[in-house]
Amino acid sequence: MISGLPLHAGEIANARLDILGLGLEVDSKIVTTGVDVPSYVQTKFGGKENDEAPSAPGMQAIGELTGPDIPIPISLIATPGRKFAIPALHEKGEYQLSNIRLVDETGAFLQQATPSFAIIQVKDIFETRVKVRQLTAAELRERGITVDSRNYDVYEYVVIFGVDESFVEIPYPVIIDKRTHQVVPAKRESPYKLPPLSVARPPRFVPPGIDEFELGPGGGGGDSESEGGPGGAGPRLPAAIILPSGFGVLHQFFAVVVQVSNTAPDDAQITLDEITAVIGAPGQMRVAGVKPAVTIGQPVPIYDSVTGNTYLVAGAQGTAEWSLEALKAGTHPVDVTVEATYKKPGQEPFRLRGKASTAIVVSDPRFQINFSHPDTVRADENYTAYAFVTNLSPQSQHVMLDLSDIPPCSSGLVVDHICRLAETPDKFEMDMQPGEMIPVPYRLTSKITGHVFAGAGSANDEALGVSVRLHMGVSESGIPLSPATLVMPHYARYLPADFIAANMQLLGLGYSLATAPLNQYTAKFPRVIQNDVFQRAQEIARAGQRIFATRVSPEVDNAVEDRDAMIHLSLDLLGNVERVDHQAIAPELFEWDQLRRQEKSGRRAGAAMARELERVALNGRTPQQFMNDFVTATSHRTPFLFAYAHGADVPGKTRPYAMSVWGATTEENLDVPAEATTGWVRMLPYSELTQFNTPTDRGELALVGRWTQNMRVVVVPQSSSFTLHLIYPDTQSGSQLRTDVEITSATPGQPVSVEVIRGSRTLIVRGASGSPQVHEIAQTPLRVLGAAQDLHLNEHARLVSFLFNRPLGIADVDKLRDQF
């Protein structure tokens, strides 16, 4: 029937039937967005989008979102033809909205989408860098800052060479800064020459300090916020503050540079607009100029450095710069706040804001203050921190350090979560000679578990000298450290507190010298650099890491588990290199060794090392067993000398087996144990001498970390018999000889000497009855490189196993062997 009319036999009817396909489609284009920035995935229904899509009562589009930041898939729902709203994602990487399908009102499956998935890539879009550098004379002139002859004395020295009646004059101009008295040779042109290609030790170089942090929710750079984003969330902004010199003197100029980059891919169509930066400097830092030029105190616009546009497209970057002058000594925080508008087609723009902080130390021309302390302390734990005060002036100074900002623990009060123990007074007063450096210990207790911070406050002139207020504290997170602070690495916490305290005094002394301006008083000390100090601190931390990896329970101390780590550390701190193939390129740290040998704090650190060896190596064991442990652990290392003389106690004698070591070529010597109060002799490089006693024996232990010549070991016994244990290198590096020399016919008070020659199986003993005696080494050369290397690998394997919470198999250990 057509239109109600009947059909008769033989008749054919026709009509038009319109069929509309209502399939669900997904936009296949990859979605690119920033960290913590919401995004969208577009769907089509019936070939239409958004308001043009046909109505679909009772139907829904559903998909599951997975990716790096999503441990459990998240179900997302959208109206067919509309957008899936992708929430702000917190981690970079590739996410997938998968199994996209059409369901009815009961959730029953109707149709799979085409395609059934969408890719979301999350990247860093807003990148900020802050760089600080000292201004050159030309840059100062460009900014209208005048530095003239009143600031410098300029001399020209002329070196004259004469042969017969011919003379050659070589001028040598020198510039001297009146404020710092630092001598700066004038620059002159010279041809550039490539150095010869060879394997050599790295140069003694101090890299610029780089503070990495993250601007954004939870970032390390301080507070941050955003406006307009869902739930107040905004993207994280990776950033860095670069400090070529974290130290300066009064009236020195600094340039603080903020660099902002749009790191989005070209096809993302993401722009950063209306970018501004504001610097927050204390009153002691004067803002002398701004670039681009704006009224001081106002936000500085950041333009595209190439096009000059007020916005940054993908791949573009811009900068803002401030010129600062240091007006007062102390630790000065500098804050940088950056704001920008994030724009992307298809979504509402919203405002980003992040704040980063750093600190600059400005030295008083008269004195300098540095700190050394642990990285982290535990709640209710007592710890020691040090302030190192150096008199840089040509006059004697009376200095008073005021610690009253830190309340005594007996008062029941705490400030910044710490208080002072009874042995730390509220004031230290000292008379300091020119160039003198004095360490001031703080004995403190922390009330929380957190990171230690320290800084020097303002210095006030008084009638009889200078008063300086110092402050310290413990923070759970986020407080920027003063560049004048040396922080012990994390794994140092697994070493005994007394050992760390003894070494912190030496490390802090070195760090203070490394950062002090060079003048006629500080120039008399070895010129250590910051990297020297950092390497020794890292070696201490590496011993802590070995202990952590070896212990069954990391927080429970066990002398047996600590033994090998402390034996290795005793040689590390004396310049010995563990891997023979690194000997030619490992830094010698000769300047650091000079400082360690000449300073009293070096003796304190040496004595602390001996106490640790006594604790872990003589823990219920005989001297012979200790000797076996030492040589087994270290036989694969580069050449060194180990000499240990001991015997029965002799009442009334402080050094019953007095030992000294002499270089056969240089006649440089090592004498008087570190535990003595005075009289130490440390002419022999990389050497240390300490008392070393067992419950039944008295003795002395000498270690020379770098073997550079044959040696003579001399013992002056107060008894007719004693034992001398020796470990010294064979002809091949990484293989050691060892022996025990039993002396039974010595004359008390008369020296007994042993010539120790590398690779020799025969020792000549002089001074005993019937000398010279020939002592033949019965033991074969000891070389256990394989066993020692496997032990080293096993330490790393245990550490990796702990971190990844799974046992490691043979293949894993083979990979570690290749790396280590």
Side-chain angles (χ1 to χ4, degrees), residues 474-487:
V474 174
S475 164
E476 293 177 289
S477 64
I479 294 182
L481 291 174
S482 163
T485 302
L486 174 67
V487 181

Side-chain angles (χ1 to χ4, degrees), residues 378-382 445-449:
R378 300 180 183 89
D380 299 319
E381 177 182 71
N382 298 340
T445 296
S446 172
K447 297 304 180 182
I448 64 170
T449 297

Side-chain angles (χ1 to χ4, degrees), residues 391-651:
N391 181 6
L392 302 177
S393 71
Q395 295 86 28
S396 299
Q397 295 279 357
H398 181 81
V399 178
M400 181 180 72
L401 302 184
D402 187 349
L403 278 66
S404 59
D405 286 346
I406 306 174
C409 296
S410 58
S411 68
L413 301 175
V414 294
V415 172
D416 289 330
H417 308 295
I418 64 170
C419 60
R420 284 183 286 116
L421 296 177
E423 57 262 43
T424 301
D426 60 353
K427 288 181 174 61
F428 284 93
E429 293 196 52
M430 61 195 84
D431 291 309
M432 304 184 66
Q433 298 304 311
E436 185 176 8
M437 180 181 297
I438 298 179
V440 179
Y442 293 64
R443 289 289 291 158
L444 306 169
T445 296
S446 172
K447 297 304 180 182
I448 64 170
T449 297
H451 300 284
V452 183
F453 65 90
S458 58
N460 299 314
D461 289 324
E462 297 183 342
L464 299 177
V466 179
S467 173
V468 183
R469 297 182 70 87
L470 305 181
H471 63 271
M472 286 191 176
V474 174
S475 164
E476 293 177 289
S477 64
I479 294 182
L481 291 174
S482 163
T485 302
L486 174 67
V487 181
M488 289 300 293
H490 168 78
Y491 283 104
R493 63 186 297 184
Y494 294 103
L495 299 175
D498 290 344
F499 175 81
I500 294 297
N503 280 273
M504 278 175 56
Q505 183 169 341
L506 176 60
L507 292 169
L509 173 65
Y511 190 67
S512 185
L513 282 174
T515 56
L518 179 63
N519 58 33
Q520 59 181 320
Y521 304 103
T522 58
K524 67 181 181 180
F525 294 97
R527 291 308 300 167
V528 297
I529 61 175
Q530 296 177 44
N531 280 5
D532 298 345
V533 187
F534 294 159
Q535 178 160 334
R536 286 294 180 250
Q538 288 165 0
E539 286 163 348
I540 293 173
R542 183 173 65 173
Q545 185 186 47
R546 280 177 155 165
I547 290 173
F548 166 79
T550 304
R551 284 181 179 174
V552 175
S553 177
E555 301 302 327
V556 178
D557 183 53
N558 185 310
V560 175
E561 295 171 341
D562 298 353
R563 182 181 299 144
D564 280 4
M566 299 311 296
I567 287 175
H568 281 291
L569 182 60
S570 68
L571 290 177
D572 290 338
L573 296 180
L574 295 178
N576 188 263
V577 181
E578 182 169 359
R579 292 184 54 167
V580 174
D581 57 337
H582 286 183
Q583 182 175 11
I585 59 175
E588 293 183 344
L589 302 189
F590 183 74
E591 292 81 4
W592 172 263
D593 187 67
Q594 285 181 304
L595 178 69
R596 179 194 62 81
R597 286 185 286 122
Q598 77 178 40
E599 291 301 315
K600 183 177 181 180
S601 56
R603 307 291 72 73
R604 183 183 181 191
M609 186 74 254
R611 302 294 79 76
E612 275 304 291
L613 289 179
E614 288 176 347
R615 179 181 72 88
V616 301
L618 290 178
N619 183 26
R621 299 169 68 79
T622 66
Q624 183 68 43
Q625 289 172 319
F626 164 57
M627 173 80 163
N628 292 338
D629 291 337
F630 199 100
V631 73
T632 301
T634 61
S635 64
H636 64 288
R637 298 182 68 115
T638 56
F640 64 90
L641 173 70
F642 169 105
Y644 174 30
H646 67 93
D649 189 17
V650 180

